[in-house]
């Protein structure tokens, strides 16, 4: 009996080793890909209901997902060393594209965020989401840690230029997400406690300056609406109020798939983009939302595992920033839909409708898999 157990264990170990070998040869993390597929399939089901059973929307989103998965696998083939080598050029190209948006970009819904090419319209700020952590991680991984004041200032300048250009479009939500992706690299690099405390103290007067001189009127209105949505129930407060009604009416188990009234009777605005989780809450209830959150938690957990297992400083900084930024996406979207945060226009990752955002997220997971599977990449460790 003991001999049979030994043979069985040997076969299991051999099978695991073969899977790991294939994973490293193909530069694919099968567990991460499986979790992403489950999330995307769930997203298509939710989107079908949120879009009013519009199959054209679902098919288009499915095609974006397919392209995203292909792009993810392709990007995973590029080694972290290559990402470091091209980081300055990617950053320069991204800044040029942001400047082009301000000069020749097209407007939509009061914002100038897109560039129109003959066959495609894309949003350069989405590309910067990917470039930012790569550039900051490249810069800091070549310097002594914890970073000096000089390196912190230079890193903040690297972060601040794209953030300022995106805020000018205006796109406050995206600029905050990009700023946080760079800030996460700084935090993971080991900022001293006194610097973190000083930053918190400086943030208090900075918020006042930001409110008085930098925020636009509609952005201020979003904050005021967040604090008291009932002050304008038929105007600025409509979105949050209807979202809360949809979430609350779902109860524990929901009304059933395709049975939601808030979205199907057009009470819930942007039900297929920013407020899509309210549709899930109404139709699948708390149980459905928790199941979605479990999938998200497993993906984030896998990202943190890859971060901890990374053999290089650059890999740890980059993988950690991508994973934590993904968490911020989820936290901000759910927070604003449930009325815990102001509405800033952040979609729910891999569930909300949107091609450019989905492609950027998939590319980020491709970078995660590259960090995890390129074991021959050696970089100076500290």
């Amino acid at each position: 009996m003991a001999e049979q157990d030994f043979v069985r264990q040997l076969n299991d170990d051999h099978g695991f080793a073969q899977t790991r070998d294939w994973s490293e040869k193909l530069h694919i993390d099968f567990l991460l890909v499986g979790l992403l597929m489950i999330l995307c399939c769930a997203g298509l089901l939710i989107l079908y209901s949120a879009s009013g059973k519009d199959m054209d929307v679902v098919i288009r989103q499915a095609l974006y997902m397919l392209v995203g998965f292909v792009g993810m696998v392709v990007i995973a083939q590029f080694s972290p060393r290559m990402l470091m080598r091209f980081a300055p050029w990617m950053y320069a190209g991204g800044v040029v594209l942001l400047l082009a948006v301000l000069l020749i970009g097209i407007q939509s819904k009061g914002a100038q965020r897109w560039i129109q090419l003959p066959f495609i319209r894309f949003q350069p700020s989405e590309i910067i989401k990917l470039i930012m952590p790569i550039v900051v991680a490249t810069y800091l991984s070549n310097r002594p840690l914890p970073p000096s004041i000089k390196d912190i200032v230079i890193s903040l300048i690297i972060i601040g230029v794209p953030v300022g250009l995106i805020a000018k479009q205006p796109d406050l939500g995206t600029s905050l997400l990009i700023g946080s992706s760079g800030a996460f690299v700084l935090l993971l690099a080991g900022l001293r406690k006194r610097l973190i405390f000083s930053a918190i103290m400086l943030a208090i007067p900075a918020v006042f300056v930001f409110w008085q001189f930098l925020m636009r009127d509609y952005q201020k209105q979003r904050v005021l609406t967040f604090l008291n949505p009932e002050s304008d129930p038929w105007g600025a407060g409509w979105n949050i109020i209807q979202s809360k009604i949809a979430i609350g009416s779902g109860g524990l188990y929901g009304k059933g798939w395709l049975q939601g009234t808030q979205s199907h009777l057009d009470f819930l605005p942007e039900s297929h983009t920013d407020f899509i989780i309210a549709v899930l809450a109404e139709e699948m209830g708390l149980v459905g939302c928790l199941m979605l959150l479990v999938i998200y938690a497993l993906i984030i957990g896998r990202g943190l595992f890859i971060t901890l297992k990374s053999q290089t400083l650059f890999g740890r900084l980059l993988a950690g920033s991508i994973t934590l930024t993904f968490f911020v996406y989820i936290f901000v979207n759910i927070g604003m839909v449930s009325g815990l945060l102001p509405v800033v226009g952040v979609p729910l990752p891999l569930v909300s409708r949107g091609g450019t955002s989905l492609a950027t997220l998939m590319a980020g997971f491709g970078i995660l898999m590259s960090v995890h599977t390129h074991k021959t990449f050696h970089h100076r460790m500290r």
Side-chain angles (χ1 to χ4, degrees):
M1 189 68 179
E3 183 179 350
Q4 291 178 346
D5 292 340
F6 175 77
V7 172
R8 188 182 301 111
Q9 182 64 41
L10 190 63
N11 290 333
D12 290 343
D13 291 343
H14 179 66
F16 176 76
Q18 284 186 322
T19 302
R20 185 175 59 189
D21 289 343
W22 276 107
S23 176
E24 293 183 5
K25 287 178 181 178
L26 299 175
H27 301 294
I28 296 175
D29 185 84
F30 293 112
L31 178 57
L32 182 59
V33 170
L35 291 170
L36 292 174
M37 285 183 174
I38 293 172
L39 179 60
C40 286
C41 290
L44 290 176
L45 289 174
I46 301 168
L47 182 61
Y48 178 70
S49 178
S51 63
K53 306 178 185 179
D54 190 338
M55 278 303 300
D56 289 337
V57 171
V58 176
I59 291 172
R60 192 178 301 114
Q61 184 77 351
L63 290 175
Y64 283 136
M65 288 177 177
L66 178 61
V67 172
F69 272 103
V70 173
M72 177 180 67
V73 173
V74 171
I75 289 175
Q77 310 310 308
F78 294 96
S79 70
R81 184 182 295 279
M82 185 174 294
L83 294 176
M84 293 182 70
R85 186 180 302 132
F86 287 100
W89 299 104
M90 291 190 291
Y91 181 80
V95 171
V96 169
L97 286 174
L98 292 178
L99 290 171
V101 170
L102 297 178
L103 296 175
I104 61 172
I106 60 174
Q107 289 192 3
S108 177
K109 297 181 180 180
Q112 190 167 323
R113 305 172 184 171
W114 295 269
I115 291 179
Q116 182 68 56
L117 297 178
F119 301 105
I120 190 173
R121 185 178 78 167
F122 72 99
Q123 194 173 346
S125 58
E126 292 291 337
I127 301 174
I128 298 295
K129 289 179 183 178
L130 208 59
I131 295 174
M132 180 61 71
I134 297 175
V135 175
V136 181
T138 298
Y139 177 76
L140 292 177
S141 63
N142 287 306
R143 280 153 182 82
L145 298 182
S148 64
I149 298 295
K150 175 186 174 183
D151 290 334
I152 293 173
V153 170
I154 293 175
S155 298
L156 290 176
I157 293 173
I158 293 172
I159 297 168
V161 172
V163 168
L165 291 173
I166 294 169
K168 188 73 175 176
Q169 294 177 358
D171 192 350
L172 180 61
T174 301
S175 64
L176 290 176
L177 286 172
I178 290 174
S180 67
S181 69
F184 281 136
V185 178
L186 272 172
L187 288 173
L188 292 169
L191 286 182
R192 294 181 176 90
K193 292 181 180 179
R194 59 184 179 85
L195 291 177
I196 297 175
F197 180 77
S198 300
I200 294 173
M201 291 296 99
L202 288 173
I204 297 174
V207 169
F208 175 78
V209 173
F210 188 70
W211 177 273
Q212 290 292 334
F213 303 105
L214 297 178
M215 288 188 71
R216 298 175 181 243
D217 290 338
Y218 79 91
Q219 292 169 340
K220 292 181 180 179
Q221 184 60 52
R222 285 181 176 179
V223 176
L224 295 174
T225 301
F226 156 68
L227 296 173
N228 185 18
E230 285 76 16
S231 62
D232 187 12
W234 300 102
W238 175 266
N239 291 8
I240 294 179
I241 292 172
Q242 297 304 316
S243 177
K244 288 181 177 180
I245 292 173
I247 294 171
S249 64
L252 185 60
Y253 299 107
K255 300 175 180 177
W257 187 50
L258 305 178
Q259 302 302 314
T261 55
Q262 290 297 110
S263 58
H264 290 288
L265 296 179
D266 294 330
F267 286 103
L268 184 64
E270 305 295 336
S271 60
H272 59 294
T273 53
D274 296 348
F275 288 84
I276 195 168
I277 197 169
V279 178
L280 174 65
E282 184 181 21
E283 297 185 349
M284 299 296 176
L286 178 62
V287 172
C289 290
L290 288 177
M291 291 175 65
L292 182 67
L293 290 177
V294 167
I295 299 173
Y296 277 132
L298 291 173
I299 293 173
I300 293 169
R302 187 60 180 173
L304 294 176
F305 174 83
I306 291 172
T307 301
L308 294 174
K309 290 295 183 179
S310 175
Q311 298 178 343
T312 69
L313 176 60
F314 172 76
R316 287 198 299 270
L317 295 177
L318 181 56
S321 175
I322 290 173
T323 303
L324 292 175
T325 303
F326 182 70
F327 166 77
V328 171
Y329 266 85
I330 301 164
F331 179 80
V332 171
N333 177 270
I334 296 177
M336 72 178 193
V337 171
S338 58
L340 300 176
L341 294 173
V343 177
V344 291
V346 175
L348 188 63
L350 304 181
V351 176
S352 295
R353 177 187 177 185
T356 309
S357 175
L358 191 150
T360 305
L361 287 167
M362 287 298 191
F365 288 118
I367 293 174
L368 271 180
M369 293 194 295
S370 171
V371 169
H372 186 51
T373 58
H374 282 86
K375 300 299 185 183
T376 58
F377 168 57
H378 295 286
H379 188 59
R380 183 172 46 171
M381 298 286 291
R382 296 180 178 87

